[in-house]
Amino acid sequence: MPAKTMKRHEWWRHNYRNARDLDHLSPEELSERLHDCINNTRTRTTQGKLGLLPVDQPVGETWMTLFTEVLEECNLRGYPYPGPISIAAHRASLDHAFDPIPDMDRVLKEYNLEAKPYLLKFGEPKWLKPSFESGRFRIASASYYDSNAHNHARRDTELERFIHLNPRNPLRAGIVAANPSQTPSPPGNWASIASPTDYFLFSLSARYSARLFGDFASTACLVIHEPREFLTRVTNAIRAQLVGWKIETTYVTYYDPVRVSPGEIVVPTFKPFKHAYQTELRIVCLPSSPVTRLSPFEFEVGSLSDCATFVDISSHPSPPLPPDPTEDPIR
């Protein structure tokens, strides 16, 4: 008898029903989770349009699996379509999604960056051009980023990480023991893990995606093609001003707030998976004793012409968009 085949989404739904752990989320929280999944699988196509990562690739499959789980939870609750799902509140994340962007492909090929590590720093030309010419940068504190002045991609509660474990999850009991003053109650409320101190962080992206210019509302970028040399200069310059501080360079670990083990979270280097598409590498600077609030400061590392290049629309104008076959006239 031939083996019965199952469609991919049916398999994901089947697995979720056997380990249902989203039933404690409110309708609004389900909608937020669905948006985070969509946002992580969102991409900008070569035609400059909105697209999704291929589902037959690991990253695309991961987010579509989580996306389907939310739909199955809605189905199990008996919600009529579309149920509580609405992403209207998140339309601001598309504000700059289709603005013209520099020709980054030319830069990546010029420095053979498809085959070796590199780093990216996004911003506006008025700030990044001086950074390229003299190595002048500003480093901000964790508390600085929790502000309505920042857009969805930059704003974050860097001093606090939130988790929302299912009440049936045995790990949830560990939150009570480790953080008695932050016990989640009643069941379903979010718990948090707070940093005992403010700290400095310097963020970069470790992988290019055409969507990043729009997400960071940026029109320019520093492409750092010699990342080891760049990071050495930056950390040495920071150490000269922060004597006695602990300074660490690390990739950010992205966690699922519903399924993370609370004991694993290190506030300065962990972020909720809503930001996973940024592939962030950061320099974290921790004081020797707790500080309530820190003020930004500037440092210089000298010209970056030997380890980076400055890219904007004027230096690398957008190439003509290739035709989209789906727009061919019907014959």
Side-chain angles (χ1 to χ4, degrees), residues 149-329:
H150 304 299
N151 73 352
H152 71 283
R154 296 183 188 274
R155 186 182 181 189
D156 197 13
T157 52
E158 295 285 1
L159 289 174
E160 202 168 14
R161 299 304 181 203
F162 295 91
I163 56 179
H164 200 1
L165 304 186
N166 191 293
R168 296 189 303 275
N169 189 329
L171 292 174
R172 192 168 182 272
I175 305 173
V176 179
N179 301 280
S181 63
Q182 301 179 50
T183 303
S185 80
N189 280 5
W190 290 74
S192 66
I193 300 171
S195 170
T197 180
D198 200 0
Y199 57 90
F200 289 112
L201 66 145
F202 186 79
S203 298
L204 304 123
S205 293
R207 184 182 304 151
Y208 175 66
S209 171
R211 65 172 288 184
L212 292 177
F213 280 99
D215 279 294
F216 290 115
S218 299
T219 60
C221 176
L222 279 183
V223 181
I224 302 157
H225 50 79
E226 298 296 337
R228 187 181 297 274
E229 174 64 24
F230 174 81
L231 291 172
T232 297
R233 294 182 193 177
V234 169
T235 53
N236 286 342
I238 292 174
R239 281 196 177 96
Q241 297 199 43
L242 301 178
V243 178
W245 287 48
K246 179 183 177 181
I247 300 175
E248 176 186 13
T249 302
T250 180
Y251 288 100
V252 167
T253 298
Y254 298 98
Y255 70 91
D256 184 339
V258 173
R259 294 167 182 165
V260 68
S261 173
E264 295 178 358
I265 293 179
V266 179
V267 174
T269 60
F270 274 60
K271 294 182 73 170
F273 69 19
K274 66 185 296 182
H275 300 293
Y277 67 91
Q278 297 176 4
T279 318
E280 182 182 348
L281 179 141
R282 59 172 47 180
I283 298 173
V284 176
C285 311
L286 295 167
S288 56
S289 56
V291 178
T292 302
R293 195 170 187 87
L294 296 165
S295 298
F297 68 90
E298 293 187 351
F299 62 90
E300 285 194 19
V301 298
S303 171
L304 300 177
S305 59
D306 62 330
C307 65
T309 188
F310 172 75
V311 176
D312 69 357
I313 290 289
S314 60
S315 65
H316 295 75
S318 302
L321 294 175
D324 185 348
T326 63
E327 293 185 347
D328 288 345

Side-chain angles (χ1 to χ4, degrees), residues 61-194:
E61 183 175 15
T62 294
W63 296 115
M64 287 308 298
T65 301
L66 296 174
F67 174 94
T68 304
E69 290 175 351
V70 174
L71 298 184
E72 181 59 18
E73 176 59 35
C74 291
N75 177 59
L76 293 173
R77 296 187 190 188
Y79 291 144
Y81 179 83
I85 303 303
S86 172
I87 59 173
H90 306 287
R91 288 176 181 169
S93 63
L94 298 176
D95 280 351
H96 302 277
F98 310 110
D99 291 348
I101 62 174
D103 185 0
M104 284 287 290
D105 290 339
R106 177 157 63 95
V107 181
L108 298 178
K109 290 177 182 177
E110 180 181 352
Y111 293 98
N112 192 31
L113 298 183
E114 297 94 337
K116 69 174 191 176
Y118 60 92
L119 295 170
L120 305 167
K121 186 72 172 174
F122 292 89
E124 288 303 304
K126 65 179 179 180
W127 306 119
L128 287 186
K129 195 70 180 291
S131 295
F132 173 68
E133 294 171 348
S134 65
R136 185 187 312 130
F137 291 97
R138 179 177 182 269
I139 186 168
S141 63
S143 57
Y144 164 81
Y145 289 96
D146 189 11
S147 168
N148 289 327
H150 304 299
N151 73 352
H152 71 283
R154 296 183 188 274
R155 186 182 181 189
D156 197 13
T157 52
E158 295 285 1
L159 289 174
E160 202 168 14
R161 299 304 181 203
F162 295 91
I163 56 179
H164 200 1
L165 304 186
N166 191 293
R168 296 189 303 275
N169 189 329
L171 292 174
R172 192 168 182 272
I175 305 173
V176 179
N179 301 280
S181 63
Q182 301 179 50
T183 303
S185 80
N189 280 5
W190 290 74
S192 66
I193 300 171

